[in-house]
Amino acid sequence: MMYLEPGCASDQNYGNMLNPDAIFSNNEMSLSDIEIYGFDYDYTLVFYSKHLHTLIFNAARDLLINEHRYPAEIRKYDYDPNFAIRGLHYDVHRALLMKIDAFHYIQLGTVYRGLSVVPDEEVIAMYDGSHVPLEQMSDFYGKVKPQTQFMDIFSLPEMTLLSCVNEYFLKNNIDYEPVHLYKDVKDSIRDVHIKGIMYRAIEADIEKYICYAEQTRAVLAKLADHGKKMFLITNSPSSFVDKGMKFIVGKDWRDLFDVVIVQADKPNFFNDKRRPFRKVNERGVLLWDKIHKLQKGQIYKQGNLYEFLKLTGWRGSKVLYFGDHIYSDLADLTLKHGWRTGAIIPELRSEIKIMNTEKYIQTMTWLQTLTGLLEHMQVHRDPDSQMILEEWKKERKEMREMNRNFFNAQFGSLFRTDENPTYFLRRLSRFADIYMASLSCLLNYEPDYTFYPRRTPLQHELPGWSDQLCTGTFRIPFLQETVQIK
């Protein structure tokens, strides 16, 4: 188990438990080397209430009915916030939602057709096992292949809507093309954003949709007090960002930022060298001036990272950029430009709190013990031993299902399958130097703090269960011989 990071103000409150307010490190990084801090807006500087996903789901569902001519009966489906988790893959041609691990293996028991789980034997028959080849997986930016991955927090209502409409068609024996359904749902979710439906609703009732308690102003003020430069790059529009930031930070929020860029069209912003910046005036009108310098207090639209680097000179590892989307926010910055990256993973806090519960710890301890017993005792081929081994395998499977239900009844933890890291965690480990539940975690660390990744033992560096079971003084009678348990 990874324990809480030292140096956190609330260390003494957790003892040997995990700290949900800690920052976790994949790569060694000292904040003393960071001169410039960059931020995404949605789910980085601002967090939204549970009402937002219901709004997106309902609006997209209505667009399916009104503009794509889907049956009005799908309106009976409501958004279920407990159905899906981030990082799931969707088989576009088979209309299956599933969880895949870091080795491209499907976690059996987490494959859903509509709102119903697909039996393991059916999954194995469809995929000739449970492995999904690399060429069938989507690339960083969701280019549609047989398997596409949902990495955005905004994709939670999209996955749920897909599953609900699939469920309706299946229950009513309606013949449909899964590829068309996927595209129509994707377009409807997109239209909720680009047609301004979501933005207008939030602006009209900002207290309902925006959570004020994430201490964003305190984080920004702390960085400003220590002489750090700051910038904002977001895909959201100017007026929407302005109203949100005035609500969570204050009317003077722009004084804290050296550069503000809206409607950046990430991830194209990081790759497309052709689009120049445009200045946005106080009334939201785009100006035609040629941009020779990115000025503090101004708001800019579009542009590209190459022009940004040319105009600011903010290059390399002195820049730390925070975002919630591992691909469109972080991947290019670390792979192509050498910026340091921080991932905001809101789900982390709730998962850590679950991992700190006594029931979870007891379940995991016994699950590990069962696995060790199976590993050691599998050499015994007599009928009685084989019978007990089968009982242990059954119990282990039940324990795994119990462990999954601690987090999400359908798909389990965001970060693990039964034993392996998820595909989501694999990408998080690759593209984020540090990760945390929210920016407020930064308040627990000094501006010169160094994050050191934990040295995780490799499999060949750990003593085997067989060795541990064969030594020690605690004995468990096992059929024809005695097994020693440490």
Side-chain angles (χ1 to χ4, degrees):
M1 180 179 287
M2 182 188 293
Y3 298 106
L4 78 160
E5 291 282 352
C8 190
S10 54
D11 281 2
Q12 65 273 18
N13 297 328
Y14 288 95
N16 287 330
M17 293 190 295
L18 290 156
N19 184 355
D21 295 315
I23 295 175
F24 301 91
S25 175
N26 293 320
N27 193 17
E28 185 171 327
M29 184 185 73
S30 177
L31 293 180
S32 61
D33 297 330
I34 305 301
E35 301 174 11
I36 305 113
Y37 284 76
F39 305 93
D40 181 31
Y41 177 69
D42 296 302
Y43 289 107
T44 300
L45 289 173
V46 63
F47 279 68
Y48 297 102
S49 72
K50 60 183 180 181
H51 301 292
L52 181 59
H53 286 174
T54 300
L55 165 70
I56 294 171
F57 178 93
N58 290 344
R61 182 193 59 196
D62 291 345
L63 286 171
L64 277 180
I65 296 169
N66 297 330
E67 297 191 7
H68 296 273
R69 306 304 178 190
Y70 276 66
E73 288 82 3
I74 65 172
R75 196 172 272 119
K76 70 180 181 181
Y77 291 99
D78 295 320
Y79 178 63
D80 180 1
N82 299 313
F83 176 69
I85 63 173
R86 250 202 310 169
L88 298 178
H89 282 77
Y90 185 75
D91 189 319
V92 176
H93 297 283
R94 296 187 175 99
L96 298 176
L97 190 65
M98 67 190 73
K99 186 176 175 184
I100 294 179
D101 73 12
F103 302 96
H104 295 195
Y105 282 91
I106 300 166
Q107 181 180 8
L108 297 177
T110 70
V111 180
Y112 276 74
R113 180 186 289 116
L115 301 175
S116 302
V117 67
V118 180
D120 293 350
E121 57 272 17
E122 187 176 340
V123 174
I124 292 169
M126 280 190 289
Y127 291 94
D128 293 324
S130 60
H131 184 262
V132 180
L134 176 62
E135 61 269 16
Q136 293 185 20
M137 308 278 280
S138 63
D139 63 12
F140 289 170
Y141 309 121
K143 181 180 178 181
V144 178
K145 295 184 180 181
Q147 291 274 357
T148 189
Q149 189 179 19
F150 292 103
M151 295 294 281
D152 195 344
I153 298 177
F154 284 126
S155 66
L156 291 170
E158 182 177 356
M159 286 184 276
T160 308
L161 183 58
L162 263 173
S163 299
C164 288
V165 181
N166 274 315
E167 180 77 4
Y168 173 80
F169 286 154
L170 292 167
K171 291 291 186 184
N172 291 276
N173 296 315
I174 298 173
D175 189 27
Y176 69 104
E177 172 53 63
V179 175
H180 297 331
L181 172 59
Y182 170 77
K183 184 180 182 302
D184 291 344
V185 170
K186 188 177 185 67
D187 289 348
S188 296
I189 292 287
R190 180 204 62 199
D191 287 347
V192 172
H193 291 77
I194 66 172
K195 290 185 176 181
I197 298 171
M198 184 188 81
Y199 301 130
R200 288 192 296 272
I202 294 174
E203 290 181 39
D205 196 352
I206 204 163
E207 293 186 2
K208 177 180 179 180
Y209 292 108
I210 292 183
C211 299
Y212 186 69
E214 284 300 323
Q215 298 178 284
T216 298
R217 182 178 179 87
V219 173
L220 299 176
K222 179 180 178 179
L223 295 176
D225 289 344
H226 286 89
K228 306 298 182 182
K229 294 184 180 298
M230 288 180 283
F231 64 92
L232 169 63
I233 303 177
T234 176
N235 288 347
S236 293
S238 176
S239 62
F240 176 74
V241 173
D242 183 57
K243 290 184 179 179
M245 289 297 284
K246 283 177 178 176
F247 178 70
I248 62 174
V249 175
K251 293 181 179 179
D252 61 342
W253 72 270
R254 280 161 61 178
D255 295 341
L256 295 168
F257 288 89
D258 295 272
V259 177
V260 176
I261 301 166
V262 299
Q263 291 180 275
D265 191 29
K266 294 178 293 181
N268 292 330
F269 180 87
F270 299 129
N271 298 288
D272 188 347
K273 300 180 180 181
R274 296 169 296 178
R275 298 186 315 158
F277 286 105
R278 296 194 71 172
K279 188 183 293 185
V280 183
N281 71 11
E282 294 296 331
R283 299 188 304 276
V285 177
L286 290 173
L287 305 181
W288 46 263
D289 310 51
K290 184 174 179 62
I291 305 301
H292 298 281
K293 182 181 180 182
L294 297 177
Q295 298 175 320
K296 186 170 184 176
Q298 301 296 324
I299 293 180
Y300 299 91
K301 180 182 176 181
Q302 298 176 350
N304 64 82
L305 184 62
Y306 298 90
E307 188 71 11
F308 177 89
L309 297 176
K310 178 182 176 182
L311 295 173
T312 64
W314 294 345
R315 301 176 182 275
S317 58
K318 64 182 179 181
V319 184
L320 172 58
Y321 185 80
F322 291 95
D324 69 288
H325 197 301
I326 298 170
Y327 296 161
S328 65
D329 281 327
L330 308 181
D332 287 312
L333 296 178
T334 187
L335 292 177
K336 298 180 180 179
H337 302 287
W339 285 8
R340 309 310 292 266
T341 52
I344 304 299
I345 313 293
E347 301 94 334
L348 186 63
R349 184 172 281 123
S350 60
E351 290 218 5
I352 287 178
K353 288 180 179 178
I354 291 169
M355 294 167 65
N356 282 337
T357 62
E358 183 177 355
K359 189 172 183 180
Y360 175 84
I361 294 170
Q362 290 176 345
T363 301
M364 286 304 301
T365 300
W366 180 234
L367 184 57
Q368 290 295 90
T369 302
L370 269 178
T371 302
L373 288 168
L374 283 166
E375 180 184 0
H376 179 70
M377 302 311 302
Q378 63 185 322
V379 297
H380 296 274
R381 300 297 181 182
D382 60 279
D384 289 337
S385 297
Q386 289 296 307
M387 180 182 68
I388 290 182
L389 284 168
E390 289 303 314
E391 290 177 358
W392 282 349
K393 288 178 182 178
K394 181 181 177 182
E395 183 177 0
R396 182 171 179 252
K397 182 178 180 181
E398 292 171 353
M399 296 291 285
R400 282 177 159 184
E401 292 175 357
M402 184 186 301
N403 179 55
R404 185 172 70 211
N405 290 337
F406 281 126
F407 301 98
N408 175 280
Q410 291 74 234
F411 302 101
S413 167
L414 175 65
F415 304 101
R416 277 198 179 276
T417 55
D418 288 325
E419 298 294 339
N420 296 330
T422 57
Y423 195 86
F424 177 92
L425 182 61
R426 175 184 175 185
R427 311 315 269 169
L428 173 66
S429 301
R430 178 67 182 89
F431 301 134
D433 292 287
I434 56 176
Y435 63 100
M436 66 209 75
S438 74
L439 284 176
S440 63
C441 299
L442 281 171
L443 296 173
N444 298 320
Y445 297 84
E446 294 300 322
D448 60 351
Y449 188 87
T450 299
F451 295 100
Y452 295 99
R454 305 298 175 117
R455 181 182 173 91
T456 304
L458 303 174
Q459 290 297 307
H460 65 271
E461 296 175 329
L462 287 166
W465 255 96
S466 298
D467 298 334
Q468 295 183 42
L469 286 167
C470 291
T471 59
T473 57
F474 187 70
R475 295 169 179 266
I476 293 179
F478 181 81
L479 300 176
Q480 300 171 351
E481 72 177 68
T482 299
V483 179
Q484 296 177 335
I485 304 294
K486 198 170 184 177

